[in-house]
Amino acid sequence: MPVIQLVAPTAEPISVAEAIAWAQIAVGDQMPAPVAPTVALGTGAGNVDNGAHRYLVRFITATGGTQGGAVSAAVTVADKTVNGKVAVSAIPLGDATVTARELYRTAAGGLTYMLLATIADNSTTTYADNIADASLGAGAPVTNTAEDPLLRMLVIAAREDAEHICRRAFVTQQWKAVFDQFPMPGMNISSANWYGPQWGNTPGPLSVTRPDGKTGFEIYLPYPPLQTVDSIKYIDVDGVQQTLSPSQYIVDPISEPGRITPAFNTSWPSTRNQINAVEVTFTCGYGAAAAVPQKIKQWIALRVATLFANREEVAILARGKVEALPFVDGLLDKYRCLEY
């Protein structure tokens, strides 16, 4: 049964910030705040108010921003009618994830850094400040919300590992399962002359089953918990793709794995004798990140910490033998789906 992911999760079970907190990764291991820019008085009259001013920079990425960086030396405007501008240079550049930088400044003699300008690139290194104190914006954030690219990658990798071990989906995602034909009762290996019942005929499919408890008509879908079956499409005997009406089948999202059966007194339609004739598109997962069980989140956080601390394929131990804590993989035991 080939399966293709159509829509990946839009969030992870734990955020990078949670991984940092749970795994006790030092704050300094996040994207570092910028170094200080260089400042000097400009020439000519301007709007920067008389007094001492200091500057700092903040990096902006697709996931957030750093806290304010190092503070510049003070530059003093003695008479803004003569020298009321400030030349800011050596504005620091970020790594490839930085999409913009915010420049902050104090009011004359002040201690609070307020937004002066947003530089919407990662290449400009100079700025001419001609802004009055009254026009400064919001204060500089004191927290770092810019996700470190390495930690982001490790969170995704750890989630994929956990999903593979559990054989289930965590945060909502959409998949397509492909079959060569609709399922039908097969010959039972323990009784060479026994076949499954005709679906929907007396005494009914759920009262007459094979010894393994199945009728043979069920479609089982991977990656529980199943949320919805979005569509069932098939190639009919004439080679035309059809969409099966939801009235023709029943979805069981409670069982794990989730299953689909024909509705009462119906049967699966005939398909052309070709590969990948049936496509089932379905949505699965616990829901939002908040719905993922805590033990799964704990396992992911522990895996992130391990991968962050050990970045090589092999480890050369300086002393003794190191063994994994025995409880770690047990965190996932109750969430393993044992059958598809």
Side-chain angles (χ1 to χ4, degrees), residues 231-314:
S231 69
I232 299 178
K233 298 182 179 182
Y234 66 97
I235 306 297
D236 67 16
V237 293
D238 296 320
V240 179
Q241 188 179 63
Q242 306 285 352
T243 299
L244 190 63
S245 169
S247 65
Q248 298 298 105
Y249 56 87
I250 298 173
V251 177
D252 173 16
I254 299 174
S255 298
E256 292 194 355
R259 58 182 178 168
I260 316 170
T261 64
F264 179 74
N265 212 26
T266 65
S267 60
W268 293 124
S270 299
T271 60
R272 172 167 281 200
N273 188 21
Q274 70 176 56
I275 61 173
N276 301 333
V278 178
E279 299 179 353
V280 180
T281 300
F282 60 99
T283 299
C284 54
Y286 289 105
V292 178
Q294 290 299 317
K295 287 187 176 181
I296 292 175
K297 295 182 179 182
Q298 185 180 2
W299 188 95
I300 293 173
L302 290 167
R303 175 58 66 92
V304 170
T306 301
L307 294 174
F308 188 85
N310 301 279
R311 306 188 191 186
E312 295 79 24
E313 184 178 1
V314 298

Side-chain angles (χ1 to χ4, degrees), residues 136-196:
L136 295 174
V142 296
T143 57
N144 190 340
T145 59
E147 295 183 350
D148 183 283
L150 172 61
L151 288 170
R152 175 71 176 173
M153 179 186 70
L154 294 182
V155 168
I156 294 172
R159 185 259 303 167
E160 290 178 344
D161 286 345
E163 287 182 325
H164 176 73
I165 293 171
C166 294
R167 303 176 73 191
R168 67 172 60 243
F170 297 156
V171 178
T172 296
Q173 49 201 269
Q174 187 183 60
W175 290 78
K176 178 170 68 176
V178 181
F179 308 86
D180 292 340
Q181 61 185 9
F182 286 105
M184 62 184 66
M187 184 179 296
N188 188 274
I189 59 174
S190 62
S191 177
N193 60 359
W194 191 93
Y195 289 81

Side-chain angles (χ1 to χ4, degrees), residues 47-49 80 105 129-136:
N47 297 313
V48 180
D49 290 280
K80 67 179 183 180
R105 190 194 85 197
D129 180 11
N130 190 25
I131 303 296
D133 290 350
S135 298
L136 295 174

Side-chain angles (χ1 to χ4, degrees), residues 214-237:
K214 300 176 181 178
T215 66
F217 285 95
E218 300 91 342
I219 295 176
Y220 289 94
L221 296 176
Y223 310 131
L226 174 64
Q227 293 185 23
T228 59
V229 172
D230 304 318
S231 69
I232 299 178
K233 298 182 179 182
Y234 66 97
I235 306 297
D236 67 16
V237 293

